[in-house]
């Protein structure tokens, strides 16, 4: 018996959600089609009913991971002034919770190593996600548009680098990376509350 259209949509959503989590936990090379299907509670054989390739799955999972990130970030921007929202976002990004739960966090640290080797759809989804974060952070920066975007890109780069290093290091070294990065994030014009 063929699945209904609604069931097919729900199955695809489950696969994408599973892929989004796995991609952040294991990276692209560490996530197979079979892994994503298994995590979604399905068999590998059903994959091609939903996707034409792994690149399409990675693109969909990447887009979903960024969407989850924006939903979390939106809470800061809805509740706080833009400069304070950037500060809160940065402190949340540099939190132990984010470091210890990559499957629920930002996809950039997990995917940036492998994304350049992936197909066009995956790279496009990744680039669009990065662009959205820079645009979001630029709202809380000072200066003209070009300067705001430059500061936002620099802040994002520092945040991603700090998370990557903290996840790779143990104990005191990871804490030192996070502590120093928090201090740097607080020195960004947005973190001082100037708009």
């Amino acid at each position: 018996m063929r699945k209904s259209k609604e069931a097919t949509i729900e199955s695809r959503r489950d696969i994408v959600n599973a892929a989004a989590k796995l991609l952040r936990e294991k990276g692209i090379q560490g996530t197979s089609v079979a892994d994503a299907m298994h995590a979604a509670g399905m068999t590998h054989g059903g994959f091609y009913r939903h996707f034409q390739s792994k690149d399409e799955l990675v693109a969909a999972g990447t887009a979903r991971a960024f969407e989850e990130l924006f939903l979390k970030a939106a809470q800061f921007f809805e509740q706080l002034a833009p400069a304070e929202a950037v500060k809160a976002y940065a402190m949340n990004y540099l939190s132990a919770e984010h470091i210890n739960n990559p499957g629920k966090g930002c996809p950039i640290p997990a995917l940036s190593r492998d994304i350049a080797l992936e197909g066009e759809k995956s790279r496009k989804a990744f680039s669009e996600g990065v662009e959205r974060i820079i645009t979001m952070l630029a709202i809380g920066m000072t200066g003209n548009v070009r300067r705001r975007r430059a500061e936002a890109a620099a802040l994002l780069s520092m945040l991603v680098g700090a998370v990557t290093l903290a996840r790779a290091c143990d104990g005191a070294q990871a804490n030192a990376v996070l502590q120093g990065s928090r201090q740097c994030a607080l020195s960004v014009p947005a973190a001082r509350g100037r708009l």
Side-chain angles (χ1 to χ4, degrees):
M1 183 161 129
R2 293 184 57 93
K3 281 184 161 184
S4 70
K5 189 172 187 175
E6 294 80 21
T8 300
I9 291 169
E10 186 176 322
S11 292
R12 181 183 167 92
R13 184 180 62 239
D14 291 346
I15 298 165
V16 171
N17 287 340
K21 184 174 188 291
L22 287 171
L23 288 167
R24 288 175 284 185
E25 289 175 346
K26 299 179 176 186
I28 296 168
Q29 298 303 316
T31 301
S32 70
V33 167
D35 292 336
M37 295 299 287
H38 178 73
M42 296 174 222
T43 63
H44 180 269
F47 176 77
Y48 291 101
R49 281 193 295 255
H50 302 283
F51 303 95
Q52 293 180 358
S53 64
K54 182 180 177 185
D55 184 44
E56 188 178 335
L57 174 64
V58 170
T62 299
R64 179 65 48 83
F66 274 111
E67 194 57 42
E68 291 173 12
L69 181 74
F70 294 120
L71 289 173
K72 290 177 190 174
Q75 296 172 7
F76 297 119
F77 286 86
E78 289 168 1
Q79 298 171 5
L80 302 168
E84 291 304 313
V86 169
K87 176 182 172 182
Y89 176 80
M91 294 304 108
N92 181 266
Y93 199 98
L94 297 170
S95 70
E97 182 180 349
H98 185 218
I99 301 304
N100 297 327
N101 296 289
K104 297 179 181 177
C106 179
I108 299 173
L111 302 182
S112 57
R113 186 189 78 185
D114 296 333
I115 201 72
L117 303 174
E118 293 302 308
E120 183 180 340
K121 290 178 183 179
S122 297
R123 290 192 317 272
K124 183 174 188 254
F126 185 85
S127 293
E128 287 173 354
V130 169
E131 175 60 27
R132 280 184 69 190
I133 294 174
I134 290 171
T135 299
M136 175 189 72
L137 293 174
I139 292 168
M141 301 294 173
T142 61
N144 62 33
V145 172
R146 191 168 139 196
R147 180 180 169 98
R148 292 162 75 113
R149 288 188 57 76
E151 286 184 359
L155 176 60
L156 177 60
S157 298
M158 188 272 299
L159 294 174
V160 170
V163 166
T164 302
L165 281 174
R167 286 180 178 162
C169 296
D170 289 326
Q173 194 172 29
N175 288 334
V177 167
L178 291 177
Q179 192 68 283
S181 298
R182 287 181 191 120
Q183 290 175 359
C184 283
L186 291 174
S187 72
V188 172
R192 291 196 299 265
R194 294 184 299 151
L195 276 178

